[in-house]
Structures are given as C-alpha cells and as structure tokens.
Amino acid sequence: MKPAPFEYVRPESLDELVGMLTAGDVLLAGGQSLLPALSERRRRLRRLVDVNAVPGLERCEAGPGLLRAGALTRHRDLAGRADVRAAVPVLAEAARHVGHEAVRVRGTLGGSIANADPAAELPGVCVLLDAVARVRSAAAGERAVPVADLLRPGGLAEGEVITVVEVPALRPGEGWGFAELSRPGAYAFPLVTVSATVMRGSGGVVTGVRAAVTGAAGAPYALPGEEAAGLLGAVPSAAWAGAVAGRLAAAARPVSDHYASAGYRRRMVAHLARRVLADAAGRAGAGGTP
C-alpha cells in the first residue's frame, strides 16, 4: 500500500520548525515506526514535518559526567562511538540491539522517546539513568523534562519538539548489564528488556543498584529508590539477584497479546533481571566501565 495524501514540509532551522508547528502536525525523524504505519494506512495525517534538515539536532557530545545527544542522534552512532560507550556503555549496548542495521542507520534517540513504545530499548535505559530531555515549543519556550515523564501519555505537549537528551554518565567503577527477549523477524522488536547498574564498595558489598524494565507495563519503569535502599549492604549472590528480580517482576503490569502472555512476560522480567544484575555486579569495581 501507499500512504494517504499529506502535505510535506522540511524546515531548515530550529526556530522555523518550532514556529511552524500547528495542531495535528507529525514530525519525521528516522521514520522507522512512522513510515511503515503510514504505508499500511494505520496512520493518516494532514502534514508531515521533516526535521532532518535542522542543524544541530545530530550533535552528540560525551563530556565529563554527561552525554548530550541531539534528538537526531542515530542508533548506529550510540552503538558504535567509542566516547558514548566509555560514558554510558549500557546505552551503547541497548542501541546495538535495536532492530537491524538499516533501522539503526536511520532510527534516532529523540524519535524513539517521542514514539514512546513501552517495549523500546533506549527509553528504558534513559529511565534507568534518569536522563532528561530538553524540549521546545513556540508557546512555552524551552523546558527540561525527565525522559520518564515524556514516556507517559501526554508527556510531550502539542507543538513541542525534543532537541537534546542529557544522559548522566556511569560513575567510576559502576557495573552495568543489559538483556532483552526479542520476537523473531527482521525487525526483532523486543518483548521485554531489563537494564541495571551496580556499585560495590569495601568487601565487595553492594552500595548502589538501579534497574529498569520495558515491555512489561504501559511505560518503562525503574526499581523504586526506597526498594533499592533495602537491597544494599549485601555481597552480590544468586539469592540477592533473585530478590531484586522478584521486586522488578512484582512491579510489572504486563498484558497478553498474540506475541506473549502477561504471565510469560512477568517471568521473563525476573529471568532477564537475574542475568543483567549478575553482569552488572561482575563489572562493578575498578574498571567496571569498560
């Protein structure tokens, strides 16, 4: 099939982009989710606004303690750049799992967040690391919003554009892990993903733990801070990882569909969590961020 007719515009500056947006406009970044939906006429629109000519949105800088990734930063760059892997290796690893090579060449970080698919890899890692997006609109100017808030219904307001995503770098010695369960097929879209980080102190005990899940609720979710605090002070073990995994699985609100049942998704949260926590604990300590 072909898309239904629509108007197409391609602004050449951020001010032009923000100034032209009206209700009902749809932004085109990588288009890896949008274009198939248009071609199959699962979506119809009045006007498509292509943001790929806006300068600066592809800028990606990994500075001390922070990755600043423009909204048009491609999955391929997140997966392949040495400075990104040094600063946030868990994000680079998640990007390596997105779709297939053609998807990674065109797909963007900002587009993945704006699309807000509850199973997508990169939004989950952004929730894990407390990433913040900067968004702009003609009505409200610029504001900084936790990515976790943008992934909830209504998080991105009408006329707002994601310009930059700021992802805190891992702390020295912080170990990390990422795993996903994907369904078969060319796009290999995940059913469930789990990401985690672990800090270890004197005697190898856990001094910090973070974990996040996608595909098991209406939006990615993280291990609550108060629950993480109750898991500190232990030496990592199978029992400890199982306790963390159990809390993540208990927090899941999965649904059943033609790909997997809710019960299966919940079990996979626990299974993947035990694996990534073991990976993160193994990487923690001196040299924990390769």
Side-chain angles (χ1 to χ4, degrees), residues 57-141:
L57 293 186
E58 289 191 350
R59 186 175 299 123
C60 181
E61 302 171 337
L66 187 70
L67 170 70
R68 285 179 50 87
L72 289 181
T73 300
R74 311 291 169 174
H75 303 326
R76 175 189 59 186
D77 294 329
L78 293 174
R81 283 180 45 161
D83 57 344
V84 174
R85 179 161 286 275
V88 278
V90 64
L91 183 65
E93 182 66 13
R96 193 177 68 82
H97 282 76
V98 175
H100 52 75
E101 181 63 24
V103 170
R104 293 190 291 273
V105 166
R106 290 298 303 164
T108 66
L109 177 59
S112 184
I113 292 169
N115 191 48
D117 190 292
E121 292 95 340
L122 301 187
V125 175
C126 287
V127 169
L128 172 76
L129 300 179
D130 294 320
V132 171
R134 296 196 174 272
V135 301
R136 277 190 60 180
S137 69

Side-chain angles (χ1 to χ4, degrees), residues 195-266:
S195 53
T197 68
V198 171
M199 291 285 290
R200 300 176 70 174
S202 178
V205 302
V206 176
T207 57
V209 58
R210 299 184 287 183
V213 175
T214 76
Y221 65 90
L223 181 71
E226 61 273 16
E227 293 195 23
L231 297 161
L232 306 183
V235 175
S237 64
W240 175 82
V244 183
R247 297 190 187 196
L248 287 172
R253 298 293 182 269
V255 297
S256 296
D257 57 23
H258 57 288
Y259 295 114
S261 69
Y264 180 73
R265 282 186 164 92
R266 191 185 298 275

